Structures are given as structure tokens and as C-alpha cells.
Amino acid sequence: LLAEQPYRTAFHFQPPQNWMNDPNGPMCYNGVYHMFYQYNPFGPLFNLRMHWAHSVSRDLINWIHLDPAFAPSEPFDINGCLSGSASIIPGGKPIMLYTGIDTENRQVQNLAFPKDLSDPYLREWVKHTANPIISLPEEIQPDDFRDPTTVWLAEDGKWRLLVGSQRDKTGIAFLYHSDDFVNWTKSDSPFHKVSGTGMWECPDFFPVWVDSTNGVDASVINPSKRVKHVLKLGIQDHGKDCYLVGEYSPEKEHYVPEDELTTTTLRLDYGIYYASKSFFDPVKKRRIMTAWVNETDSEADVIAKGWSGVQAFPRSIWLDKNQKQLLQWPIEEIEMLHENEVSFQNKKLEGGSLHEIQGITASQADVKISFKLANLEDAEEMDASWVDDPQLICSENDASKKGKFGPFGLLALASNDLTEQTAIFFRVLRKNGRYVVVMCSDQSRSSTKDGIDKTKYGAFLDVNPQQDEISLRTLIDHSIVESFGGGGKTCITARVYPTLAIGEEARLFVFNYGTESVVISELSVWSLKKARLNVEKP
Ligand code: FRU
């Protein structure tokens, strides 16, 4: 089976087969986690007549595959059940809001609720008879109005929700309010809008504590400025999930971000990662986020595999101490899968060296590593033309391009002779007397196969290498490599399709191709056991 399906994941969520895109309505109800997702039950390619597939879990690791929760069936969703969000309303009851494509091919917003709250899996869902509860606003194109957020309660006692949209290339998040979840009124002015950004998909809006790594429920009203608010937007034209940190002032009914949405706006992930959605987990008082990670192979490959799309490994998210960006970290449940730990401390990696990590299953592994650097005065100056474009730095300087400090990092999913390898690495450069750390994920040699996207990804990592070690955590899972730099300040997710470095053949190395030595102050690697992922028959 492995030979036929070398790209199936061991612990990243995926359906047994067919097409999957956005996560929808993630939530925890009575100790059971629910994951719904955009699903085409008829095949491995995208089709607008979307269904909401449904899986449940008690640990966010092992998932049970259930029948779809929503299929197109009514005039208000007959042409597709698109993305949406769960909300837990007073009394602890879940409700679901989702976009339907109606008989006229207009996007409208619909309400649904569980048929039987005593079913621990909430298998059946009832679409409200008042649907659509929100119809297309005037002057909005019929296919530019979708992806309702989780609702939140504002100080005036009314519920709020956002819907993504655009008008003449101005990205818009419309704000609605309601007393009863059925009758919704649009605010005169949008919650937020930015010209030139195009359609905003899958908005996500949530509070974060300024002084705690815990999560906050969406309806917490700012207790003496202890929270800031994050607005996450999927920029459809670029396929990127960007976010803003700012202040929500319910009196003014709009959002005031600290920075403008531009091409350098913070991204949740600088690789392939889209349509993310977060939820508050009351069990562990944390905010968890997941996202769709698309394939980067060809359509013919997708058809041959019979499936497309995985979900990123769930991440805990919270506000960094600097209060300017989020930190993201794989949820602690991953430790349930850990086995065969290999670790060492204080190992010097000379310039130009390569060291294999043996004794682990390199095709499904969790890697934690910290690098310590000395004598940074010798770092190279950053080329003026590279300024502010880490993606360009990484694409013009792949893992084979020697520098002084860097490239150093990991070679994941490497074949015996290193023909295949996915390199996740750092470079430390000098700019105006300060140090800049660039983090890259280089897929250019990830596969001997042609006709697949091997884009190199890059981003800055906001750490000061004179004071701080440079840490990297990487989750490797057959065809996905998810990397977290600096404790989750910068994340890069990549899809790869090795032909040699598969299963037991895959190898893992640490490397330093710079001329200066670096010290690995600490390294731990675990093999990961296989999770029970939606297997149809146990
Ligand atoms: C984002 C998206 C959403 C839409 C869904 C359709 O990937 O385009 O805007 O609701 O996917 O499947």
C-alpha cells in the first residue's frame, strides 16, 4: 500500500479519499472535537457543489469519519454548501452558520443546528426554515459574499458576525447584528475594508490575551484592555492568509488595526496554508487553529492518488509578548504519538558539515532543534536588492548556496544519495549594523518528479541572534513538512512528493553549509506513531 500511496499522511488530517479544502466549523462540544470540511464526495477534484464532511475526535489526533453534515438540498444551498463557522450559544448549544449557493447562484448565509443534542457525535444537522437568514447585499456580486465567522456577543447584548466580501477590488468584512441568530441587520459601515486587496475569504475574528498564552472565547468583552483582537483574512487573489492585530471598539462598530494591510502584512504561514479557522477549546482553555494545505502536484497526480488536500496539524495560537504578532505551536497532543526519542546537546556543526540523525522514522517525525551562534560580527552584509523580500532571498539562494552564517538547518525527507531533500534552514545577515534572520523552506530538490510546484518559501524571523538561540521545530509527515521558527514566530508549510525518500527509505540530516561553525545547543527528534485518521473500517 505504501508503494501505491506514499503521500498519505500519518498524523495530518485527511479524508479516506476525494477532494478536501477549507476546515469548517471546528468546535468542541461536550468533550468531543468536531471537524467539518469542504468536501467533494464524488472525486478528487474541486467542484463547487460542496458538501460539509464531518469527523469527530476525543483528542484531536485520532478521527472518526462520519456521513456529511450538509449536502446541497434546498433552494438556499442547492448549488453548494460553502464554508462557515460554529458558535456555542448560551445554554451551551452549538449552531452552525454557512454559505449556500442558491437557485440563482447567489451566495447567501444559512443557519443550522444539531437535530439531537444527546447524540455525542451530533451526526445529524437541521437547516433552519427561515434560511437564507442573510441574503446578498445590494451592489455585491452574487459570488462575492461568503464564509460567515463565529458569532460573538457585544456589550449591547446583541450578537455580531462577519461575512467576507469585496466591491470593486476593495476587500470587505461586513458586520451584522442580531438578537436571535435568525434575524440579522447589516451595519451601515463595514467592520473593515481595504482597497485593492480583492475578495476576502474565510475571515476569522477573535480576542487574544495580552498577558497570557491561554485562549479567549470570542464573546469576552475587553476587561481593562487585557485583550487585543486579531482579524484574519484570506486574500483570494494571492491565496494567502494574512492577519492584523488591533483594537475592537464596539461603540464605533469597527475594527482599528495597528498596521495597514499591505504586501508585508503578517502571514500565518509563509508556505502553503489557507482558509484557516480557529476556535476556543474550553477543555484546555486555548485557541486552536487549523487550515487547508493544498496539493502542489499536478492534476494528473491528484487523479491517480484519488484524493487531494490535507489539514495542517492543529496549532495553539496566542499573542507574542511583543503584542505585535501571534505565536503558533503544534498542540501538545502530538506527544501521544512520540516514540524513539533521539537527542543530544552542545554539538558543534563545523562549516560545510552534514550529520545524519539515525534511529528514527524520518518520514514521520517531530524535530526540535536550537542553534547557538558566536562571533556574529563576521556575518555577511545583506545585498541591498534583497531588502524586505525574504521570499526573493530564499529563491535566489537555495540550500546549496554557501554563506558565512548559514545556510544551516535540516534536510528532511532526504534520499540515500541526497538527490531528494527538502531543506529548512536559516541565514543570518547584517543590515545597517543589525542582524536579520531569514528562514527558508527549499523544495527545489524535494522530488525527482517533474510537473510539480517546487517553489522555495522564505520569511524573516524576528529574533536577535546575538541574544537568542535560533530554534526550529519541524513536523515531517510523508508529503507535508511544517516548520516553526523561533518558537512559532514564523511558520512555513510545504507539500513535497519524494519518489526515493519514501517510507523507510527517507533520511534526516542536520547541516551547516555556511563557512562559520554553529552549535546545536539542543536537539530532540521523535518518530511519530500513526494516528487513526478517518480509516473507514478499523
Ligand atoms: C476558500 C473558499 C471559500 C469558500 C470555499 C469553497 O478556500 O473559496 O471562500 O467558501 O473555499 O469551497
Side-chain angles (χ1 to χ4, degrees), residues 238-250:
H238 303 284
K240 290 176 181 170
D241 267 4
C242 295
Y243 69 94
L244 301 164
V245 177
E247 205 168 313
Y248 168 47
S249 54

Side-chain angles (χ1 to χ4, degrees), residues 19 21-22 38 46 48 50 81-84 99 146-147 199 201-202 236 274-275 292:
W19 168 274
N21 57 300
D22 311 358
Q38 290 285 282
F46 180 76
L48 249 190
M50 278 289 145
C81 298
L82 304 194
S83 288
T99 299
R146 60 182 177 275
D147 309 338
M199 179 68 194
E201 299 186 300
C202 301
Q236 181 180 26
Y274 194 58
W292 168 41

Side-chain angles (χ1 to χ4, degrees), residues 34-267:
H34 292 256
M35 170 78 156
F36 303 83
Y37 53 92
Q38 290 285 282
Y39 183 60
N40 173 11
F42 307 111
L45 301 178
F46 180 76
N47 179 327
L48 249 190
R49 275 192 96 249
M50 278 289 145
H51 290 54
W52 274 46
H54 186 193
S55 292
V56 289
S57 172
R58 292 199 177 267
D59 53 20
L60 290 160
I61 298 286
N62 300 292
W63 292 91
I64 299 170
H65 183 66
L66 304 174
D67 286 338
F70 304 131
S73 67
E74 306 298 321
F76 52 79
D77 66 8
I78 191 71
N79 287 310
C81 298
L82 304 194
S83 288
S85 305
S87 304
I88 309 286
I89 66 173
K93 250 178 60 180
I95 60 166
M96 208 58 88
L97 284 151
Y98 71 97
T99 299
I101 306 182
D102 73 5
T103 43
E104 310 291 311
N105 280 313
R106 287 173 305 208
Q107 295 180 346
V108 297
Q109 314 314 320
N110 298 323
L111 175 65
F113 46 89
K115 186 171 182 182
D116 175 9
L117 283 174
S118 68
D119 170 9
Y121 293 167
L122 303 177
R123 271 171 267 231
E124 286 186 77
W125 289 74
V126 180
K127 297 171 184 174
H128 200 283
T129 49
N131 283 334
I133 47 145
I134 302 179
S135 44
L136 186 70
E138 273 169 42
E139 290 174 39
I140 296 299
Q141 294 299 313
D143 55 353
D144 284 343
F145 184 59
R146 60 182 177 275
D147 309 338
T149 59
T150 294
V151 305
W152 72 92
L153 189 62
E155 264 155 335
D156 60 4
K158 288 182 196 288
W159 296 93
R160 298 289 194 280
L161 91 87
L162 304 179
V163 183
S165 191
Q166 74 165 330
R167 184 167 44 215
D168 304 329
K169 284 283 160 200
T170 294
I172 303 174
F174 283 121
L175 177 68
Y176 288 80
H177 57 90
S178 171
D179 294 314
D180 58 8
F181 310 106
V182 178
N183 298 291
W184 291 89
T185 309
K186 183 156 82 65
S187 293
D188 292 336
S189 61
F191 190 64
H192 196 54
K193 62 174 184 185
V194 179
S195 65
T197 56
M199 179 68 194
W200 288 357
E201 299 186 300
C202 301
D204 194 18
F205 180 64
F206 53 89
V208 282
W209 296 120
V210 295
D211 53 6
S212 164
T213 61
N214 284 351
V216 196
D217 180 83
S219 290
V220 161
I221 309 223
N222 202 351
S224 49
K225 301 245 174 209
R226 280 196 58 217
V227 301
K228 287 192 178 186
H229 277 83
V230 174
L231 177 62
K232 190 280 307 187
L233 304 162
I235 311 297
Q236 181 180 26
D237 290 353
H238 303 284
K240 290 176 181 170
D241 267 4
C242 295
Y243 69 94
L244 301 164
V245 177
E247 205 168 313
Y248 168 47
S249 54
E251 318 81 53
K252 295 200 211 99
E253 285 291 301
H254 68 219
Y255 179 65
V256 185
E258 289 168 5
D259 295 303
E260 279 170 54
L261 186 67
T262 65
T263 49
T264 55
T265 298
L266 292 165
R267 285 172 58 188

Side-chain angles (χ1 to χ4, degrees), residues 7 295-299 301-302 305 420 443-455 495-499:
Y7 309 126
E295 303 302 306
T296 56
D297 56 358
S298 70
E299 188 171 295
D301 291 330
V302 165
K305 294 190 308 226
E420 287 184 334
Q443 285 64 246
S444 60
R445 292 205 272 163
S446 59
S447 175
T448 58
K449 250 159 106 121
D450 292 325
I452 64 182
D453 177 1
K454 297 177 186 172
T455 305
R495 295 301 306 276
V496 291
Y497 306 91
T499 59

